[in-house]
Amino acid sequence: MAEREPSAHQFTLDDAIGALDPSDAASASEFMTLENPDYAYMFGFLQADGHLAQGTGRKGSLTVEINIRDIAILREFQRLTPYRSSIGERTRSTNFAEKHHSATWTLCSLEARTTLHRLGLPYGRKSRKITPPRVPFVRRDYLRGVIDADGSIGFTGQGYPFVSLTTASTAVGAYLCRYARQLTGVERVIKRNSRDGIYNVSYTKEAAVQLAQHLYYPGCLALDRKRAAAASTAAWERPAEMKIAPPRRRWKAAEDRVLLAVGAPEDAARELGRTVASCAVRLWRLRTGQVAPPPRAPLE
């Protein structure tokens, strides 16, 4: 096991109850003010990759364990936190690597934990329960924190830029979809995959470039490797021979009612101005229950 960093220390009762260094007392009132871009980013990261444990009485801790290559972001969290905390290292065997070298940031302050919990960081298992903050917050910095912790940025095997997020939270997945739609015009509808019930939200090509450049702006707090990956997407240009697919036309309830009433994809295609293939697939999904039937038309 690797040795602790020199800055790490053994926790005392002062740590548990949230004691501050005298020089930090003034900044405690500003801790986790989510209109501050750094705290908005930090909170998004903690929601996705942190663990808040509640013990008996005043006991408990917030921990974030990440690959040792990203230890710099933990040092930034420590700098932003006016309460005593420590960063330690360890090497262990995992399902993915025989030797996994990781760094863990630990914060025991009850006052700090209470603040984070009130903002929306649940105790215990939280992957499905987290939601965007319900207080004013800087949106793109918050989303960058979530993506740094649970997302990916880079290029596909075909050389297309992409930005993706893997999350179990319906609220966070839907929020990214709404935000990205307003920014890029690209619409995504989230759906849990059948294997593990996780949402995989992904953007490619121009939408990915626009989203990456917007979220990872100059001087922002971020993981160095993802900041570099975001910067690399800026140079991508669509090849001249690559056609731009038209935006998808979503099915409306009125169209579903017509499709079910007509019953034949060929006839419905002429009436709805859609392709026969599109009508056939939609009709099959309606009949097999893969999509909900449309509500009855309102009475006039």
Side-chain angles (χ1 to χ4, degrees), residues 177 180-181 184-189 202-203 247-250:
C177 290
R181 184 181 64 224
T184 68
V186 174
E187 186 161 4
R188 292 286 183 268
V189 178
S202 182
Y203 297 87
R248 291 184 178 181
R249 177 181 163 191
R250 297 190 66 185

Side-chain angles (χ1 to χ4, degrees), residues 135-235:
V135 299
F137 68 101
V138 189
R139 300 188 298 164
R140 68 172 171 175
D141 295 279
Y142 168 78
L143 282 173
R144 187 177 64 259
V146 173
I147 290 174
D148 262 9
D150 276 350
S152 298
I153 301 175
F155 290 85
T156 66
Q158 294 77 31
Y160 305 144
F162 76 92
V163 176
S164 67
L165 173 66
T166 300
T167 180
S169 166
T170 302
V172 171
Y175 188 79
L176 173 61
C177 290
R178 289 195 300 271
Y179 188 88
R181 184 181 64 224
Q182 293 174 354
L183 178 69
T184 68
V186 174
E187 186 161 4
R188 292 286 183 268
V189 178
I190 61 173
K191 183 179 180 180
R192 294 189 188 276
N193 64 44
S194 57
R195 182 172 62 87
D196 51 13
I198 299 296
Y199 297 112
N200 295 294
V201 186
S202 182
Y203 297 87
T204 59
K205 302 170 185 174
E206 286 89 355
V209 173
Q210 190 174 1
L211 189 57
Q213 300 310 301
H214 174 75
L215 293 178
Y216 290 82
Y217 58 88
C220 70
L221 184 63
L223 293 179
D224 290 339
R225 58 188 175 86
K226 290 192 177 179
R227 190 203 325 274
S232 69
T233 66

Side-chain angles (χ1 to χ4, degrees), residues 32 34-35 118-119 132-138:
M32 278 294 137
L34 301 187
E35 290 177 287
R118 286 174 178 170
L119 287 172
R134 290 184 169 83
V135 299
F137 68 101
V138 189

